[in-house]
Amino acid sequence: ARLSKAVEAIHQNPERQWTLDALAQIAGMSRARFAAHFLTVSGQTPFHYLALWRIGIAQSLLKKGQPLKIVAPNAGYASPGALTRAFFKHTGLTPLAWLAAQTSAGA
């Protein structure tokens, strides 16, 4: 239940520059306990979860035809370049290459 408060905060404000302290405070836990408990429950670190959530938001916005300069801040990235680096790290494709693949696959 405590973790759900932090996850809900991430979902409601993905663009916020989250810190472990802020997430732990929302969950009512210490930093160390929050990080360990999050990993145990979800199988990933809080920041890996946040990154995947942000990439999902970016994918959704890209599919809607939004340009990278709009997608980046809405998905929590300071610039289109920062989004592109994170996107590539998690998907193996740049945002535009991913979008082209989605378009050609009819997704």
Side-chain angles (χ1 to χ4, degrees):
R2 289 181 179 187
L3 289 183
S4 66
K5 292 178 184 178
V7 170
E8 184 178 325
I10 287 170
H11 289 187
Q12 290 179 353
N13 298 292
E15 73 288 348
R16 182 174 167 183
Q17 297 306 306
W18 289 106
T19 64
L20 192 57
D21 284 329
L23 291 169
Q25 184 176 22
I26 289 168
M29 303 169 86
S30 71
R31 282 175 40 134
R33 185 163 183 205
F34 173 76
H37 190 56
F38 197 101
L39 181 60
T40 299
V41 170
S42 71
Q44 54 194 337
T45 68
F47 292 109
H48 187 253
Y49 179 86
L50 174 61
L52 292 178
W53 181 253
R54 286 176 170 172
I55 295 301
I57 290 169
Q59 289 170 329
S60 177
L61 293 172
L62 288 167
K63 282 184 176 181
K64 292 178 182 176
Q66 296 292 318
L68 280 178
K69 67 181 181 179
I70 300 299
V71 172
N74 286 314
Y77 293 96
S79 68
L83 169 60
T84 298
R85 286 186 297 278
F87 202 100
F88 187 83
K89 179 180 176 182
H90 290 283
T91 68
L93 297 169
T94 65
L96 297 181
W98 176 85
L99 184 60
Q102 297 299 301
T103 303
S104 68

